[in-house]
PDB file of all heavy atoms in Angstrom:
ATOM      1  N   THR A   1      -0.148  -7.974 -13.346  1.00 93.00           N
ATOM      2  CA  THR A   1      -0.237  -6.873 -14.371  1.00 93.00           C
ATOM      3  C   THR A   1       0.494  -5.664 -13.879  1.00 93.00           C
ATOM      4  O   THR A   1       0.624  -4.709 -14.659  1.00 93.00           O
ATOM      5  CB  THR A   1      -1.700  -6.563 -14.688  1.00 93.00           C
ATOM      6  OG1 THR A   1      -2.432  -6.410 -13.461  1.00 93.00           O
ATOM      7  CG2 THR A   1      -2.355  -7.643 -15.502  1.00 93.00           C
ATOM      8  N   GLY A   2       0.896  -5.599 -12.628  1.00 92.00           N
ATOM      9  CA  GLY A   2       1.652  -4.415 -12.145  1.00 92.00           C
ATOM     10  C   GLY A   2       0.811  -3.442 -11.361  1.00 92.00           C
ATOM     11  O   GLY A   2       1.169  -2.261 -11.364  1.00 92.00           O
ATOM     12  N   LYS A   3      -0.219  -3.928 -10.697  1.00 95.00           N
ATOM     13  CA  LYS A   3      -1.070  -2.960  -9.933  1.00 95.00           C
ATOM     14  C   LYS A   3      -0.262  -2.341  -8.756  1.00 95.00           C
ATOM     15  O   LYS A   3      -0.409  -1.141  -8.521  1.00 95.00           O
ATOM     16  CB  LYS A   3      -2.282  -3.721  -9.376  1.00 95.00           C
ATOM     17  CG  LYS A   3      -3.167  -4.313 -10.475  1.00 95.00           C
ATOM     18  CD  LYS A   3      -4.384  -4.967  -9.922  1.00 95.00           C
ATOM     19  CE  LYS A   3      -4.119  -6.191  -9.071  1.00 95.00           C
ATOM     20  NZ  LYS A   3      -3.533  -7.318  -9.832  1.00 95.00           N
ATOM     21  N   GLY A   4       0.526  -3.115  -8.120  1.00 94.00           N
ATOM     22  CA  GLY A   4       1.324  -2.590  -6.991  1.00 94.00           C
ATOM     23  C   GLY A   4       2.350  -1.580  -7.470  1.00 94.00           C
ATOM     24  O   GLY A   4       2.591  -0.560  -6.800  1.00 94.00           O
ATOM     25  N   LEU A   5       2.954  -1.806  -8.617  1.00 94.00           N
ATOM     26  CA  LEU A   5       3.950  -0.880  -9.186  1.00 94.00           C
ATOM     27  C   LEU A   5       3.271   0.414  -9.546  1.00 94.00           C
ATOM     28  O   LEU A   5       3.813   1.523  -9.266  1.00 94.00           O
ATOM     29  CB  LEU A   5       4.592  -1.506 -10.431  1.00 94.00           C
ATOM     30  CG  LEU A   5       5.689  -0.761 -11.101  1.00 94.00           C
ATOM     31  CD1 LEU A   5       6.746  -1.756 -11.616  1.00 94.00           C
ATOM     32  CD2 LEU A   5       5.183   0.092 -12.235  1.00 94.00           C
ATOM     33  N   LEU A   6       2.046   0.386 -10.134  1.00 96.00           N
ATOM     34  CA  LEU A   6       1.345   1.627 -10.461  1.00 96.00           C
ATOM     35  C   LEU A   6       0.897   2.378  -9.206  1.00 96.00           C
ATOM     36  O   LEU A   6       0.966   3.581  -9.122  1.00 96.00           O
ATOM     37  CB  LEU A   6       0.137   1.305 -11.305  1.00 96.00           C
ATOM     38  CG  LEU A   6       0.346   1.166 -12.833  1.00 96.00           C
ATOM     39  CD1 LEU A   6      -0.957   0.857 -13.483  1.00 96.00           C
ATOM     40  CD2 LEU A   6       0.950   2.485 -13.380  1.00 96.00           C
ATOM     41  N   ALA A   7       0.477   1.609  -8.148  1.00 96.00           N
ATOM     42  CA  ALA A   7       0.061   2.248  -6.917  1.00 96.00           C
ATOM     43  C   ALA A   7       1.255   3.032  -6.335  1.00 96.00           C
ATOM     44  O   ALA A   7       1.097   4.197  -5.871  1.00 96.00           O
ATOM     45  CB  ALA A   7      -0.430   1.198  -5.928  1.00 96.00           C
ATOM     46  N   GLU A   8       2.452   2.420  -6.304  1.00 95.00           N
ATOM     47  CA  GLU A   8       3.615   3.096  -5.743  1.00 95.00           C
ATOM     48  C   GLU A   8       3.983   4.310  -6.628  1.00 95.00           C
ATOM     49  O   GLU A   8       4.376   5.373  -6.100  1.00 95.00           O
ATOM     50  CB  GLU A   8       4.784   2.115  -5.675  1.00 95.00           C
ATOM     51  CG  GLU A   8       5.959   2.653  -4.961  1.00 95.00           C
ATOM     52  CD  GLU A   8       7.023   1.616  -4.671  1.00 95.00           C
ATOM     53  OE1 GLU A   8       6.856   0.463  -5.081  1.00 95.00           O
ATOM     54  OE2 GLU A   8       8.013   1.954  -4.018  1.00 95.00           O
ATOM     55  N   ALA A   9       3.814   4.157  -7.947  1.00 96.00           N
ATOM     56  CA  ALA A   9       4.154   5.286  -8.817  1.00 96.00           C
ATOM     57  C   ALA A   9       3.199   6.456  -8.618  1.00 96.00           C
ATOM     58  O   ALA A   9       3.617   7.619  -8.634  1.00 96.00           O
ATOM     59  CB  ALA A   9       4.126   4.813 -10.268  1.00 96.00           C
ATOM     60  N   ILE A  10       1.904   6.160  -8.359  1.00 97.00           N
ATOM     61  CA  ILE A  10       0.980   7.237  -8.041  1.00 97.00           C
ATOM     62  C   ILE A  10       1.338   7.950  -6.762  1.00 97.00           C
ATOM     63  O   ILE A  10       1.312   9.158  -6.670  1.00 97.00           O
ATOM     64  CB  ILE A  10      -0.488   6.629  -7.943  1.00 97.00           C
ATOM     65  CG1 ILE A  10      -0.962   6.165  -9.301  1.00 97.00           C
ATOM     66  CG2 ILE A  10      -1.437   7.632  -7.335  1.00 97.00           C
ATOM     67  CD1 ILE A  10      -2.212   5.331  -9.263  1.00 97.00           C
ATOM     68  N   HIS A  11       1.736   7.202  -5.750  1.00 97.00           N
ATOM     69  CA  HIS A  11       2.191   7.806  -4.488  1.00 97.00           C
ATOM     70  C   HIS A  11       3.418   8.659  -4.758  1.00 97.00           C
ATOM     71  O   HIS A  11       3.427   9.815  -4.192  1.00 97.00           O
ATOM     72  CB  HIS A  11       2.496   6.737  -3.493  1.00 97.00           C
ATOM     73  CG  HIS A  11       3.227   7.205  -2.280  1.00 97.00           C
ATOM     74  ND1 HIS A  11       2.565   7.907  -1.262  1.00 97.00           N
ATOM     75  CD2 HIS A  11       4.515   7.143  -1.879  1.00 97.00           C
ATOM     76  CE1 HIS A  11       3.427   8.249  -0.313  1.00 97.00           C
ATOM     77  NE2 HIS A  11       4.661   7.764  -0.656  1.00 97.00           N
ATOM     78  N   GLU A  12       4.395   8.166  -5.485  1.00 96.00           N
ATOM     79  CA  GLU A  12       5.632   8.934  -5.690  1.00 96.00           C
ATOM     80  C   GLU A  12       5.379  10.213  -6.498  1.00 96.00           C
ATOM     81  O   GLU A  12       6.174  11.183  -6.384  1.00 96.00           O
ATOM     82  CB  GLU A  12       6.606   8.062  -6.437  1.00 96.00           C
ATOM     83  CG  GLU A  12       7.163   6.891  -5.577  1.00 96.00           C
ATOM     84  CD  GLU A  12       7.965   7.367  -4.382  1.00 96.00           C
ATOM     85  OE1 GLU A  12       8.560   8.461  -4.426  1.00 96.00           O
ATOM     86  OE2 GLU A  12       7.943   6.653  -3.348  1.00 96.00           O
ATOM     87  N   ALA A  13       4.282  10.242  -7.248  1.00 96.00           N
ATOM     88  CA  ALA A  13       4.017  11.475  -8.051  1.00 96.00           C
ATOM     89  C   ALA A  13       3.014  12.370  -7.310  1.00 96.00           C
ATOM     90  O   ALA A  13       2.650  13.384  -7.913  1.00 96.00           O
ATOM     91  CB  ALA A  13       3.484  11.087  -9.404  1.00 96.00           C
ATOM     92  N   SER A  14       2.604  12.013  -6.111  1.00 96.00           N
ATOM     93  CA  SER A  14       1.579  12.744  -5.437  1.00 96.00           C
ATOM     94  C   SER A  14       2.133  13.743  -4.436  1.00 96.00           C
ATOM     95  O   SER A  14       3.313  13.678  -4.109  1.00 96.00           O
ATOM     96  CB  SER A  14       0.656  11.791  -4.702  1.00 96.00           C
ATOM     97  OG  SER A  14       1.279  11.309  -3.500  1.00 96.00           O
ATOM     98  N   PRO A  15       1.306  14.688  -3.962  1.00 96.00           N
ATOM     99  CA  PRO A  15       1.786  15.613  -2.896  1.00 96.00           C
ATOM    100  C   PRO A  15       2.141  14.866  -1.601  1.00 96.00           C
ATOM    101  O   PRO A  15       2.769  15.462  -0.715  1.00 96.00           O
ATOM    102  CB  PRO A  15       0.559  16.494  -2.656  1.00 96.00           C
ATOM    103  CG  PRO A  15      -0.244  16.442  -3.903  1.00 96.00           C
ATOM    104  CD  PRO A  15      -0.057  15.047  -4.402  1.00 96.00           C
ATOM    105  N   ARG A  16       1.814  13.570  -1.459  1.00 96.00           N
ATOM    106  CA  ARG A  16       2.139  12.786  -0.295  1.00 96.00           C
ATOM    107  C   ARG A  16       3.421  12.025  -0.419  1.00 96.00           C
ATOM    108  O   ARG A  16       3.752  11.148   0.356  1.00 96.00           O
ATOM    109  CB  ARG A  16       0.983  11.803   0.043  1.00 96.00           C
ATOM    110  CG  ARG A  16      -0.342  12.502   0.449  1.00 96.00           C
ATOM    111  CD  ARG A  16      -1.398  11.437   0.735  1.00 96.00           C
ATOM    112  NE  ARG A  16      -2.635  12.080   1.110  1.00 96.00           N
ATOM    113  CZ  ARG A  16      -2.892  12.398   2.378  1.00 96.00           C
ATOM    114  NH1 ARG A  16      -2.035  12.131   3.370  1.00 96.00           N
ATOM    115  NH2 ARG A  16      -4.063  12.978   2.758  1.00 96.00           N
ATOM    116  N   ARG A  17       4.164  12.286  -1.448  1.00 95.00           N
ATOM    117  CA  ARG A  17       5.392  11.518  -1.747  1.00 95.00           C
ATOM    118  C   ARG A  17       6.351  11.502  -0.590  1.00 95.00           C
ATOM    119  O   ARG A  17       7.133  10.528  -0.448  1.00 95.00           O
ATOM    120  CB  ARG A  17       6.067  12.052  -2.995  1.00 95.00           C
ATOM    121  CG  ARG A  17       6.648  13.451  -2.909  1.00 95.00           C
ATOM    122  CD  ARG A  17       7.333  13.877  -4.210  1.00 95.00           C
ATOM    123  NE  ARG A  17       6.426  14.038  -5.285  1.00 95.00           N
ATOM    124  CZ  ARG A  17       5.756  15.138  -5.514  1.00 95.00           C
ATOM    125  NH1 ARG A  17       5.899  16.214  -4.757  1.00 95.00           N
ATOM    126  NH2 ARG A  17       4.942  15.235  -6.521  1.00 95.00           N
ATOM    127  N   ALA A  18       6.392  12.533   0.258  1.00 96.00           N
ATOM    128  CA  ALA A  18       7.316  12.571   1.400  1.00 96.00           C
ATOM    129  C   ALA A  18       6.873  11.718   2.531  1.00 96.00           C
ATOM    130  O   ALA A  18       7.620  11.377   3.452  1.00 96.00           O
ATOM    131  CB  ALA A  18       7.489  14.035   1.917  1.00 96.00           C
ATOM    132  N   GLY A  19       5.615  11.289   2.469  1.00 96.00           N
ATOM    133  CA  GLY A  19       5.062  10.407   3.539  1.00 96.00           C
ATOM    134  C   GLY A  19       5.264   8.974   3.213  1.00 96.00           C
ATOM    135  O   GLY A  19       5.755   8.605   2.097  1.00 96.00           O
ATOM    136  N   PRO A  20       4.897   8.070   4.120  1.00 96.00           N
ATOM    137  CA  PRO A  20       5.144   6.638   3.892  1.00 96.00           C
ATOM    138  C   PRO A  20       4.186   6.044   2.900  1.00 96.00           C
ATOM    139  O   PRO A  20       3.086   6.526   2.707  1.00 96.00           O
ATOM    140  CB  PRO A  20       4.916   6.019   5.276  1.00 96.00           C
ATOM    141  CG  PRO A  20       4.102   7.033   6.022  1.00 96.00           C
ATOM    142  CD  PRO A  20       4.402   8.371   5.459  1.00 96.00           C
ATOM    143  N   PHE A  21       4.620   4.927   2.254  1.00 97.00           N
ATOM    144  CA  PHE A  21       3.801   4.143   1.398  1.00 97.00           C
ATOM    145  C   PHE A  21       3.645   2.772   2.059  1.00 97.00           C
ATOM    146  O   PHE A  21       4.625   2.005   2.076  1.00 97.00           O
ATOM    147  CB  PHE A  21       4.396   4.024  -0.006  1.00 97.00           C
ATOM    148  CG  PHE A  21       3.605   3.166  -0.984  1.00 97.00           C
ATOM    149  CD1 PHE A  21       2.421   3.636  -1.539  1.00 97.00           C
ATOM    150  CD2 PHE A  21       4.049   1.893  -1.336  1.00 97.00           C
ATOM    151  CE1 PHE A  21       1.709   2.877  -2.432  1.00 97.00           C
ATOM    152  CE2 PHE A  21       3.360   1.107  -2.209  1.00 97.00           C
ATOM    153  CZ  PHE A  21       2.190   1.549  -2.754  1.00 97.00           C
ATOM    154  N   VAL A  22       2.486   2.479   2.642  1.00 96.00           N
ATOM    155  CA  VAL A  22       2.322   1.300   3.439  1.00 96.00           C
ATOM    156  C   VAL A  22       1.481   0.295   2.674  1.00 96.00           C
ATOM    157  O   VAL A  22       0.304   0.598   2.267  1.00 96.00           O
ATOM    158  CB  VAL A  22       1.653   1.611   4.823  1.00 96.00           C
ATOM    159  CG1 VAL A  22       1.370   0.340   5.572  1.00 96.00           C
ATOM    160  CG2 VAL A  22       2.559   2.514   5.617  1.00 96.00           C
ATOM    161  N   VAL A  23       1.995  -0.924   2.459  1.00 95.00           N
ATOM    162  CA  VAL A  23       1.270  -1.956   1.735  1.00 95.00           C
ATOM    163  C   VAL A  23       0.630  -2.922   2.707  1.00 95.00           C
ATOM    164  O   VAL A  23       1.328  -3.475   3.609  1.00 95.00           O
ATOM    165  CB  VAL A  23       2.282  -2.710   0.800  1.00 95.00           C
ATOM    166  CG1 VAL A  23       1.482  -3.832   0.060  1.00 95.00           C
ATOM    167  CG2 VAL A  23       2.912  -1.779  -0.183  1.00 95.00           C
ATOM    168  N   LEU A  24      -0.612  -3.182   2.591  1.00 95.00           N
ATOM    169  CA  LEU A  24      -1.347  -4.146   3.413  1.00 95.00           C
ATOM    170  C   LEU A  24      -1.993  -5.134   2.437  1.00 95.00           C
ATOM    171  O   LEU A  24      -2.951  -4.845   1.728  1.00 95.00           O
ATOM    172  CB  LEU A  24      -2.434  -3.424   4.276  1.00 95.00           C
ATOM    173  CG  LEU A  24      -1.899  -2.463   5.328  1.00 95.00           C
ATOM    174  CD1 LEU A  24      -3.030  -1.674   5.894  1.00 95.00           C
ATOM    175  CD2 LEU A  24      -1.155  -3.161   6.422  1.00 95.00           C
ATOM    176  N   ASP A  25      -1.461  -6.360   2.446  1.00 93.00           N
ATOM    177  CA  ASP A  25      -1.935  -7.404   1.506  1.00 93.00           C
ATOM    178  C   ASP A  25      -3.062  -8.166   2.202  1.00 93.00           C
ATOM    179  O   ASP A  25      -2.780  -8.976   3.069  1.00 93.00           O
ATOM    180  CB  ASP A  25      -0.792  -8.347   1.151  1.00 93.00           C
ATOM    181  CG  ASP A  25      -1.171  -9.330   0.073  1.00 93.00           C
ATOM    182  OD1 ASP A  25      -2.382  -9.553  -0.134  1.00 93.00           O
ATOM    183  OD2 ASP A  25      -0.303  -9.871  -0.600  1.00 93.00           O
ATOM    184  N   CYS A  26      -4.288  -7.860   1.848  1.00 92.00           N
ATOM    185  CA  CYS A  26      -5.446  -8.457   2.506  1.00 92.00           C
ATOM    186  C   CYS A  26      -5.550  -9.949   2.293  1.00 92.00           C
ATOM    187  O   CYS A  26      -6.234 -10.664   3.024  1.00 92.00           O
ATOM    188  CB  CYS A  26      -6.757  -7.805   2.020  1.00 92.00           C
ATOM    189  SG  CYS A  26      -6.789  -5.987   2.358  1.00 92.00           S
ATOM    190  N   GLY A  27      -4.859 -10.490   1.300  1.00 87.00           N
ATOM    191  CA  GLY A  27      -4.898 -11.898   1.002  1.00 87.00           C
ATOM    192  C   GLY A  27      -3.858 -12.684   1.750  1.00 87.00           C
ATOM    193  O   GLY A  27      -3.933 -13.919   1.885  1.00 87.00           O
ATOM    194  N   ALA A  28      -2.804 -12.005   2.265  1.00 87.00           N
ATOM    195  CA  ALA A  28      -1.721 -12.695   2.913  1.00 87.00           C
ATOM    196  C   ALA A  28      -1.799 -12.617   4.430  1.00 87.00           C
ATOM    197  O   ALA A  28      -1.118 -13.377   5.130  1.00 87.00           O
ATOM    198  CB  ALA A  28      -0.355 -12.096   2.469  1.00 87.00           C
ATOM    199  N   ILE A  29      -2.631 -11.725   4.991  1.00 89.00           N
ATOM    200  CA  ILE A  29      -2.782 -11.555   6.433  1.00 89.00           C
ATOM    201  C   ILE A  29      -3.792 -12.598   6.940  1.00 89.00           C
ATOM    202  O   ILE A  29      -4.911 -12.678   6.444  1.00 89.00           O
ATOM    203  CB  ILE A  29      -3.205 -10.182   6.823  1.00 89.00           C
ATOM    204  CG1 ILE A  29      -2.288  -9.150   6.216  1.00 89.00           C
ATOM    205  CG2 ILE A  29      -3.258 -10.034   8.290  1.00 89.00           C
ATOM    206  CD1 ILE A  29      -2.735  -7.702   6.327  1.00 89.00           C
ATOM    207  N   PRO A  30      -3.438 -13.393   7.967  1.00 88.00           N
ATOM    208  CA  PRO A  30      -4.421 -14.293   8.545  1.00 88.00           C
ATOM    209  C   PRO A  30      -5.691 -13.570   9.021  1.00 88.00           C
ATOM    210  O   PRO A  30      -5.582 -12.470   9.610  1.00 88.00           O
ATOM    211  CB  PRO A  30      -3.695 -14.967   9.752  1.00 88.00           C
ATOM    212  CG  PRO A  30      -2.227 -14.804   9.395  1.00 88.00           C
ATOM    213  CD  PRO A  30      -2.137 -13.497   8.610  1.00 88.00           C
ATOM    214  N   PRO A  31      -6.842 -14.178   8.769  1.00 88.00           N
ATOM    215  CA  PRO A  31      -8.098 -13.440   9.169  1.00 88.00           C
ATOM    216  C   PRO A  31      -8.141 -12.986  10.611  1.00 88.00           C
ATOM    217  O   PRO A  31      -8.756 -11.991  10.913  1.00 88.00           O
ATOM    218  CB  PRO A  31      -9.213 -14.491   8.827  1.00 88.00           C
ATOM    219  CG  PRO A  31      -8.599 -15.337   7.793  1.00 88.00           C
ATOM    220  CD  PRO A  31      -7.115 -15.407   8.124  1.00 88.00           C
ATOM    221  N   THR A  32      -7.526 -13.819  11.520  1.00 87.00           N
ATOM    222  CA  THR A  32      -7.553 -13.435  12.916  1.00 87.00           C
ATOM    223  C   THR A  32      -6.694 -12.254  13.245  1.00 87.00           C
ATOM    224  O   THR A  32      -6.865 -11.652  14.329  1.00 87.00           O
ATOM    225  CB  THR A  32      -7.136 -14.667  13.809  1.00 87.00           C
ATOM    226  OG1 THR A  32      -5.833 -15.088  13.331  1.00 87.00           O
ATOM    227  CG2 THR A  32      -8.084 -15.787  13.647  1.00 87.00           C
ATOM    228  N   LEU A  33      -5.832 -11.864  12.353  1.00 89.00           N
ATOM    229  CA  LEU A  33      -4.878 -10.753  12.640  1.00 89.00           C
ATOM    230  C   LEU A  33      -5.159  -9.545  11.793  1.00 89.00           C
ATOM    231  O   LEU A  33      -4.485  -8.524  11.993  1.00 89.00           O
ATOM    232  CB  LEU A  33      -3.441 -11.252  12.427  1.00 89.00           C
ATOM    233  CG  LEU A  33      -2.924 -12.316  13.315  1.00 89.00           C
ATOM    234  CD1 LEU A  33      -1.473 -12.728  12.955  1.00 89.00           C
ATOM    235  CD2 LEU A  33      -2.988 -11.925  14.796  1.00 89.00           C
ATOM    236  N   ILE A  34      -6.064  -9.613  10.863  1.00 91.00           N
ATOM    237  CA  ILE A  34      -6.204  -8.544   9.901  1.00 91.00           C
ATOM    238  C   ILE A  34      -6.638  -7.235  10.525  1.00 91.00           C
ATOM    239  O   ILE A  34      -6.161  -6.144  10.175  1.00 91.00           O
ATOM    240  CB  ILE A  34      -7.129  -8.949   8.717  1.00 91.00           C
ATOM    241  CG1 ILE A  34      -6.916  -7.980   7.612  1.00 91.00           C
ATOM    242  CG2 ILE A  34      -8.584  -8.985   9.127  1.00 91.00           C
ATOM    243  CD1 ILE A  34      -7.394  -8.505   6.252  1.00 91.00           C
ATOM    244  N   GLU A  35      -7.526  -7.273  11.527  1.00 91.00           N
ATOM    245  CA  GLU A  35      -7.959  -6.064  12.208  1.00 91.00           C
ATOM    246  C   GLU A  35      -6.783  -5.362  12.873  1.00 91.00           C
ATOM    247  O   GLU A  35      -6.599  -4.158  12.786  1.00 91.00           O
ATOM    248  CB  GLU A  35      -9.088  -6.293  13.167  1.00 91.00           C
ATOM    249  CG  GLU A  35      -9.631  -5.007  13.798  1.00 91.00           C
ATOM    250  CD  GLU A  35     -10.880  -5.246  14.635  1.00 91.00           C
ATOM    251  OE1 GLU A  35     -11.309  -6.423  14.758  1.00 91.00           O
ATOM    252  OE2 GLU A  35     -11.466  -4.263  15.075  1.00 91.00           O
ATOM    253  N   SER A  36      -5.920  -6.135  13.535  1.00 91.00           N
ATOM    254  CA  SER A  36      -4.782  -5.633  14.190  1.00 91.00           C
ATOM    255  C   SER A  36      -3.754  -5.047  13.158  1.00 91.00           C
ATOM    256  O   SER A  36      -3.171  -4.018  13.427  1.00 91.00           O
ATOM    257  CB  SER A  36      -4.079  -6.703  15.009  1.00 91.00           C
ATOM    258  OG  SER A  36      -2.810  -6.268  15.519  1.00 91.00           O
TER     259      SER A  36
END
């Protein structure tokens, strides 16, 4: 539905737009590595 696209658009329109936008996909990271 475009949740990631909206999240990035919110960041780009925010006062934090000059900072990084870091995506962490909790479903794609192996459970043993997610804390790291």
